[in-house]
Short mmCIF file of all heavy atoms in Angstrom, two decimals:
data_model
loop_
_atom_site.label_atom_id
_atom_site.label_comp_id
_atom_site.label_asym_id
_atom_site.label_seq_id
_atom_site.Cartn_x
_atom_site.Cartn_y
_atom_site.Cartn_z
N LEU G 193 70.60 103.26 -154.10
CA LEU G 193 71.64 104.21 -153.68
C LEU G 193 71.23 105.62 -154.10
O LEU G 193 71.33 106.58 -153.32
CB LEU G 193 73.00 103.85 -154.30
CG LEU G 193 74.10 104.89 -154.11
CD1 LEU G 193 74.39 105.17 -152.63
CD2 LEU G 193 75.40 104.44 -154.80
N GLU G 194 70.73 105.75 -155.32
CA GLU G 194 70.32 107.07 -155.80
C GLU G 194 69.18 107.64 -154.93
O GLU G 194 69.20 108.82 -154.58
CB GLU G 194 69.88 107.00 -157.27
CG GLU G 194 69.44 108.37 -157.79
CD GLU G 194 69.52 108.51 -159.31
OE1 GLU G 194 69.56 107.47 -160.00
OE2 GLU G 194 69.55 109.66 -159.77
N ALA G 195 68.23 106.75 -154.57
CA ALA G 195 67.13 107.21 -153.71
C ALA G 195 67.67 107.72 -152.37
O ALA G 195 67.24 108.76 -151.87
CB ALA G 195 66.13 106.07 -153.51
N LYS G 196 68.63 106.98 -151.80
CA LYS G 196 69.18 107.39 -150.50
C LYS G 196 69.97 108.70 -150.65
O LYS G 196 69.93 109.56 -149.77
CB LYS G 196 70.10 106.29 -149.94
CG LYS G 196 69.43 104.93 -149.71
CD LYS G 196 68.30 104.98 -148.72
CE LYS G 196 67.74 103.64 -148.27
NZ LYS G 196 66.87 102.92 -149.18
N LEU G 197 70.68 108.85 -151.76
CA LEU G 197 71.45 110.08 -151.99
C LEU G 197 70.51 111.28 -152.17
O LEU G 197 70.80 112.38 -151.70
CB LEU G 197 72.34 109.92 -153.23
CG LEU G 197 73.65 109.14 -152.99
CD1 LEU G 197 74.28 108.73 -154.32
CD2 LEU G 197 74.64 109.96 -152.17
N LYS G 198 69.38 111.04 -152.82
CA LYS G 198 68.38 112.10 -153.01
C LYS G 198 67.83 112.55 -151.67
O LYS G 198 67.70 113.73 -151.38
CB LYS G 198 67.22 111.57 -153.87
CG LYS G 198 67.25 112.10 -155.28
CD LYS G 198 65.95 111.72 -156.02
CE LYS G 198 66.25 111.75 -157.50
NZ LYS G 198 65.56 110.73 -158.26
N TRP G 199 67.49 111.54 -150.85
CA TRP G 199 66.98 111.81 -149.51
C TRP G 199 67.99 112.66 -148.72
O TRP G 199 67.64 113.65 -148.08
CB TRP G 199 66.70 110.49 -148.80
CG TRP G 199 66.35 110.63 -147.36
CD1 TRP G 199 65.11 110.89 -146.85
CD2 TRP G 199 67.25 110.56 -146.25
NE1 TRP G 199 65.19 110.98 -145.48
CE2 TRP G 199 66.49 110.78 -145.09
CE3 TRP G 199 68.62 110.34 -146.12
CZ2 TRP G 199 67.05 110.78 -143.82
CZ3 TRP G 199 69.19 110.33 -144.86
CH2 TRP G 199 68.40 110.55 -143.72
N ALA G 200 69.27 112.24 -148.80
CA ALA G 200 70.32 112.95 -148.06
C ALA G 200 70.50 114.36 -148.60
O ALA G 200 70.67 115.32 -147.83
CB ALA G 200 71.63 112.17 -148.14
N ALA G 201 70.43 114.50 -149.93
CA ALA G 201 70.61 115.82 -150.54
C ALA G 201 69.50 116.77 -150.09
O ALA G 201 69.74 117.96 -149.82
CB ALA G 201 70.65 115.72 -152.05
N ALA G 202 68.28 116.23 -149.97
CA ALA G 202 67.17 117.06 -149.51
C ALA G 202 67.44 117.56 -148.09
O ALA G 202 67.18 118.71 -147.75
CB ALA G 202 65.88 116.26 -149.55
N LYS G 203 68.00 116.70 -147.27
CA LYS G 203 68.36 117.07 -145.89
C LYS G 203 69.39 118.18 -145.88
O LYS G 203 69.31 119.11 -145.09
CB LYS G 203 68.97 115.86 -145.17
CG LYS G 203 67.97 114.85 -144.75
CD LYS G 203 67.93 114.79 -143.24
CE LYS G 203 66.67 114.12 -142.78
NZ LYS G 203 66.21 114.59 -141.49
N THR G 204 70.39 118.04 -146.76
CA THR G 204 71.49 119.02 -146.72
C THR G 204 71.00 120.38 -147.21
O THR G 204 71.61 121.38 -146.92
CB THR G 204 72.69 118.58 -147.58
OG1 THR G 204 72.27 118.49 -148.94
CG2 THR G 204 73.26 117.26 -147.15
N GLN G 205 69.87 120.38 -147.99
CA GLN G 205 69.40 121.66 -148.52
C GLN G 205 68.28 122.27 -147.69
O GLN G 205 67.71 123.28 -148.08
CB GLN G 205 68.95 121.47 -149.97
CG GLN G 205 70.15 121.47 -150.92
CD GLN G 205 69.94 120.56 -152.12
OE1 GLN G 205 68.81 120.28 -152.49
NE2 GLN G 205 71.04 120.09 -152.68
N GLN G 206 67.99 121.63 -146.56
CA GLN G 206 66.92 122.17 -145.72
C GLN G 206 67.29 123.57 -145.24
O GLN G 206 68.38 123.77 -144.72
CB GLN G 206 66.71 121.27 -144.49
CG GLN G 206 65.43 120.47 -144.58
CD GLN G 206 65.40 119.38 -143.53
OE1 GLN G 206 65.99 119.52 -142.48
NE2 GLN G 206 64.71 118.30 -143.83
N PRO G 207 66.39 124.55 -145.41
CA PRO G 207 66.73 125.89 -144.93
C PRO G 207 66.77 125.91 -143.41
O PRO G 207 66.06 125.15 -142.76
CB PRO G 207 65.58 126.76 -145.47
CG PRO G 207 64.45 125.81 -145.75
CD PRO G 207 65.04 124.47 -146.01
N GLY G 208 67.61 126.78 -142.90
CA GLY G 208 67.68 126.96 -141.45
C GLY G 208 68.51 125.91 -140.73
O GLY G 208 68.64 125.94 -139.52
N THR G 209 69.09 124.95 -141.47
CA THR G 209 69.94 123.97 -140.82
C THR G 209 71.24 124.66 -140.40
O THR G 209 71.85 125.36 -141.22
CB THR G 209 70.27 122.81 -141.78
OG1 THR G 209 69.11 122.54 -142.55
CG2 THR G 209 70.69 121.56 -141.04
N ALA G 210 71.61 124.46 -139.15
CA ALA G 210 72.78 125.17 -138.63
C ALA G 210 74.04 124.82 -139.42
O ALA G 210 74.76 125.69 -139.90
CB ALA G 210 72.96 124.83 -137.15
N SER G 211 74.30 123.50 -139.54
CA SER G 211 75.48 123.13 -140.32
C SER G 211 75.04 122.11 -141.36
O SER G 211 74.21 121.26 -141.09
CB SER G 211 76.56 122.55 -139.40
OG SER G 211 76.12 121.34 -138.86
N GLN G 212 75.61 122.21 -142.52
CA GLN G 212 75.27 121.31 -143.62
C GLN G 212 75.75 119.90 -143.29
O GLN G 212 76.93 119.71 -143.04
CB GLN G 212 76.01 121.78 -144.87
CG GLN G 212 75.44 123.05 -145.45
CD GLN G 212 74.73 122.77 -146.74
OE1 GLN G 212 75.24 122.03 -147.57
NE2 GLN G 212 73.55 123.34 -146.91
N PRO G 213 74.84 118.92 -143.30
CA PRO G 213 75.32 117.55 -143.07
C PRO G 213 76.25 117.12 -144.22
O PRO G 213 76.01 117.49 -145.37
CB PRO G 213 74.06 116.71 -143.06
CG PRO G 213 72.91 117.63 -143.13
CD PRO G 213 73.41 118.97 -143.54
N ARG G 214 77.27 116.37 -143.87
CA ARG G 214 78.12 115.78 -144.90
C ARG G 214 77.60 114.39 -145.19
O ARG G 214 77.03 113.75 -144.30
CB ARG G 214 79.56 115.74 -144.42
CG ARG G 214 80.16 117.14 -144.29
CD ARG G 214 81.35 117.16 -143.40
NE ARG G 214 80.97 116.86 -142.03
CZ ARG G 214 81.61 117.30 -140.96
NH1 ARG G 214 82.68 118.07 -141.10
NH2 ARG G 214 81.23 116.98 -139.75
N VAL G 215 77.78 113.93 -146.41
CA VAL G 215 77.25 112.63 -146.81
C VAL G 215 78.40 111.76 -147.31
O VAL G 215 79.15 112.15 -148.20
CB VAL G 215 76.18 112.78 -147.91
CG1 VAL G 215 75.60 111.42 -148.27
CG2 VAL G 215 75.08 113.74 -147.46
N LEU G 216 78.54 110.58 -146.70
CA LEU G 216 79.60 109.63 -147.09
C LEU G 216 78.97 108.31 -147.51
O LEU G 216 78.19 107.72 -146.76
CB LEU G 216 80.55 109.39 -145.90
CG LEU G 216 81.65 108.36 -146.12
CD1 LEU G 216 82.73 108.88 -147.09
CD2 LEU G 216 82.31 107.96 -144.79
N VAL G 217 79.32 107.86 -148.72
CA VAL G 217 78.90 106.55 -149.20
C VAL G 217 80.07 105.59 -148.96
O VAL G 217 81.22 105.94 -149.22
CB VAL G 217 78.57 106.59 -150.72
CG1 VAL G 217 78.22 105.19 -151.24
CG2 VAL G 217 77.45 107.58 -150.99
N VAL G 218 79.78 104.39 -148.44
CA VAL G 218 80.85 103.41 -148.25
C VAL G 218 80.46 102.09 -148.90
O VAL G 218 79.37 101.56 -148.67
CB VAL G 218 81.18 103.14 -146.76
CG1 VAL G 218 82.47 102.34 -146.64
CG2 VAL G 218 81.29 104.44 -145.97
N SER G 219 81.37 101.56 -149.72
CA SER G 219 81.18 100.24 -150.33
C SER G 219 82.50 99.47 -150.30
O SER G 219 83.57 100.08 -150.30
CB SER G 219 80.72 100.40 -151.79
OG SER G 219 80.56 99.13 -152.39
N GLU G 220 82.38 98.17 -150.31
CA GLU G 220 83.57 97.35 -150.59
C GLU G 220 83.74 97.35 -152.10
O GLU G 220 82.79 97.62 -152.84
CB GLU G 220 83.36 95.92 -150.07
CG GLU G 220 83.45 95.84 -148.57
CD GLU G 220 83.10 94.46 -148.00
OE1 GLU G 220 83.50 93.46 -148.59
OE2 GLU G 220 82.43 94.44 -146.96
N SER G 221 84.93 97.03 -152.58
CA SER G 221 85.09 96.92 -154.04
C SER G 221 84.77 95.49 -154.46
O SER G 221 83.91 95.25 -155.30
CB SER G 221 86.48 97.37 -154.47
OG SER G 221 87.49 96.61 -153.86
N ILE G 222 85.41 94.51 -153.83
CA ILE G 222 85.04 93.09 -153.98
C ILE G 222 84.47 92.68 -152.62
O ILE G 222 85.13 92.84 -151.60
CB ILE G 222 86.26 92.22 -154.33
CG1 ILE G 222 86.87 92.62 -155.68
CG2 ILE G 222 85.89 90.73 -154.30
CD1 ILE G 222 86.01 92.30 -156.89
N PHE G 223 83.25 92.17 -152.62
CA PHE G 223 82.59 91.88 -151.34
C PHE G 223 83.11 90.58 -150.73
O PHE G 223 83.24 89.56 -151.42
CB PHE G 223 81.08 91.87 -151.53
CG PHE G 223 80.52 93.26 -151.58
CD1 PHE G 223 80.54 93.98 -152.76
CD2 PHE G 223 80.05 93.87 -150.43
CE1 PHE G 223 80.07 95.28 -152.81
CE2 PHE G 223 79.57 95.18 -150.46
CZ PHE G 223 79.58 95.88 -151.65
N SER G 224 83.38 90.65 -149.43
CA SER G 224 84.13 89.59 -148.75
C SER G 224 83.42 88.25 -148.73
O SER G 224 84.06 87.21 -148.75
CB SER G 224 84.45 90.01 -147.32
OG SER G 224 83.26 90.19 -146.57
N MET G 225 82.10 88.25 -148.69
CA MET G 225 81.37 86.99 -148.55
C MET G 225 80.66 86.58 -149.83
O MET G 225 80.24 85.44 -149.97
CB MET G 225 80.35 87.08 -147.41
CG MET G 225 80.98 87.20 -146.05
SD MET G 225 81.96 85.73 -145.65
CE MET G 225 83.24 86.45 -144.64
N GLU G 226 80.48 87.52 -150.77
CA GLU G 226 79.81 87.22 -152.05
C GLU G 226 80.83 87.02 -153.16
O GLU G 226 80.55 86.31 -154.14
CB GLU G 226 78.89 88.38 -152.46
CG GLU G 226 77.84 88.76 -151.43
CD GLU G 226 76.90 87.62 -151.11
OE1 GLU G 226 76.41 86.97 -152.07
OE2 GLU G 226 76.66 87.36 -149.93
N GLY G 227 81.96 87.71 -153.03
CA GLY G 227 82.97 87.65 -154.08
C GLY G 227 82.55 88.41 -155.33
O GLY G 227 83.17 88.26 -156.38
N ASP G 228 81.52 89.24 -155.22
CA ASP G 228 81.12 90.02 -156.40
C ASP G 228 81.69 91.43 -156.32
O ASP G 228 82.18 91.86 -155.28
CB ASP G 228 79.60 90.03 -156.56
CG ASP G 228 78.88 90.59 -155.35
OD1 ASP G 228 79.54 90.86 -154.33
OD2 ASP G 228 77.65 90.77 -155.42
N ALA G 229 81.63 92.14 -157.46
CA ALA G 229 82.26 93.45 -157.54
C ALA G 229 81.21 94.54 -157.45
O ALA G 229 80.11 94.41 -158.00
CB ALA G 229 83.02 93.57 -158.85
N ALA G 230 81.55 95.64 -156.80
CA ALA G 230 80.66 96.80 -156.77
C ALA G 230 80.74 97.50 -158.13
O ALA G 230 81.81 97.53 -158.74
CB ALA G 230 81.08 97.76 -155.66
N PRO G 231 79.61 98.06 -158.60
CA PRO G 231 79.65 98.84 -159.85
C PRO G 231 80.27 100.21 -159.58
O PRO G 231 79.57 101.23 -159.54
CB PRO G 231 78.16 98.94 -160.22
CG PRO G 231 77.42 98.83 -158.93
CD PRO G 231 78.27 98.00 -158.00
N LEU G 232 81.58 100.23 -159.40
CA LEU G 232 82.24 101.46 -158.93
C LEU G 232 82.08 102.65 -159.87
O LEU G 232 81.85 103.77 -159.39
CB LEU G 232 83.73 101.19 -158.64
CG LEU G 232 84.03 100.36 -157.39
CD1 LEU G 232 85.53 100.21 -157.21
CD2 LEU G 232 83.42 100.99 -156.15
N PRO G 233 82.19 102.48 -161.20
CA PRO G 233 82.05 103.67 -162.05
C PRO G 233 80.69 104.35 -161.85
O PRO G 233 80.63 105.58 -161.75
CB PRO G 233 82.18 103.10 -163.48
CG PRO G 233 82.93 101.83 -163.32
CD PRO G 233 82.52 101.28 -161.98
N GLU G 234 79.64 103.54 -161.73
CA GLU G 234 78.31 104.12 -161.55
C GLU G 234 78.16 104.74 -160.15
O GLU G 234 77.53 105.78 -159.99
CB GLU G 234 77.22 103.04 -161.75
CG GLU G 234 77.07 102.57 -163.19
CD GLU G 234 78.11 101.51 -163.61
OE1 GLU G 234 78.93 101.09 -162.75
OE2 GLU G 234 78.11 101.11 -164.77
N ILE G 235 78.76 104.09 -159.15
CA ILE G 235 78.69 104.64 -157.79
C ILE G 235 79.40 105.99 -157.75
O ILE G 235 78.91 106.96 -157.15
CB ILE G 235 79.29 103.64 -156.76
CG1 ILE G 235 78.40 102.40 -156.65
CG2 ILE G 235 79.46 104.31 -155.40
CD1 ILE G 235 78.95 101.31 -155.73
N VAL G 236 80.56 106.06 -158.41
CA VAL G 236 81.32 107.33 -158.44
C VAL G 236 80.50 108.42 -159.12
O VAL G 236 80.42 109.56 -158.63
CB VAL G 236 82.68 107.11 -159.13
CG1 VAL G 236 83.35 108.43 -159.48
CG2 VAL G 236 83.60 106.28 -158.24
N ASP G 237 79.86 108.08 -160.25
CA ASP G 237 79.02 109.08 -160.94
C ASP G 237 77.91 109.58 -160.03
O ASP G 237 77.64 110.78 -159.96
CB ASP G 237 78.40 108.48 -162.21
CG ASP G 237 79.43 108.37 -163.34
OD1 ASP G 237 80.50 109.01 -163.24
OD2 ASP G 237 79.17 107.62 -164.30
N LEU G 238 77.27 108.64 -159.34
CA LEU G 238 76.14 109.02 -158.48
C LEU G 238 76.59 109.92 -157.32
O LEU G 238 75.95 110.93 -157.04
CB LEU G 238 75.48 107.76 -157.91
CG LEU G 238 74.42 107.09 -158.80
CD1 LEU G 238 73.91 105.82 -158.13
CD2 LEU G 238 73.25 108.04 -159.06
N LYS G 239 77.66 109.53 -156.66
CA LYS G 239 78.06 110.35 -155.49
C LYS G 239 78.52 111.73 -155.96
O LYS G 239 78.29 112.73 -155.27
CB LYS G 239 79.10 109.64 -154.62
CG LYS G 239 80.48 109.42 -155.21
CD LYS G 239 81.47 110.52 -154.94
CE LYS G 239 82.73 110.29 -155.75
NZ LYS G 239 83.68 111.39 -155.70
N ASP G 240 79.10 111.81 -157.16
CA ASP G 240 79.48 113.13 -157.69
C ASP G 240 78.24 113.96 -158.00
O ASP G 240 78.19 115.15 -157.69
CB ASP G 240 80.32 112.97 -158.97
CG ASP G 240 81.79 112.69 -158.66
OD1 ASP G 240 82.17 112.80 -157.47
OD2 ASP G 240 82.54 112.35 -159.59
N LYS G 241 77.25 113.29 -158.59
CA LYS G 241 76.02 113.98 -158.96
C LYS G 241 75.37 114.64 -157.74
O LYS G 241 74.83 115.74 -157.81
CB LYS G 241 75.05 112.98 -159.61
CG LYS G 241 73.73 113.55 -160.07
CD LYS G 241 72.94 112.49 -160.87
CE LYS G 241 71.47 112.84 -160.88
NZ LYS G 241 70.65 111.70 -161.32
N PHE G 242 75.45 113.94 -156.58
CA PHE G 242 74.79 114.45 -155.38
C PHE G 242 75.76 115.13 -154.41
O PHE G 242 75.38 115.46 -153.30
CB PHE G 242 74.03 113.32 -154.68
CG PHE G 242 72.81 112.88 -155.45
CD1 PHE G 242 72.88 111.83 -156.35
CD2 PHE G 242 71.61 113.56 -155.30
CE1 PHE G 242 71.76 111.43 -157.07
CE2 PHE G 242 70.49 113.17 -156.02
CZ PHE G 242 70.56 112.11 -156.91
N GLY G 243 77.01 115.29 -154.84
CA GLY G 243 77.98 115.99 -153.98
C GLY G 243 78.32 115.24 -152.71
O GLY G 243 78.63 115.85 -151.69
#
Side-chain angles (χ1 to χ4, degrees):
L193 171 60
E194 180 157 19
K196 300 299 189 284
L197 280 166
K198 254 189 203 144
W199 172 85
K203 284 245 162 210
T204 62
Q205 279 148 24
Q206 253 168 28
T209 322
S211 66
Q212 288 251 316
R214 292 160 294 208
V215 182
L216 176 71
V217 177
V218 191
S219 179
E220 286 174 41
S221 59
I222 297 291
F223 281 83
S224 64
M225 293 297 149
E226 304 299 314
D228 58 353
L232 288 181
E234 290 82 2
I235 292 176
V236 166
D237 284 345
L238 275 177
K239 68 91 189 173
D240 278 350
K241 181 172 158 195
F242 289 93

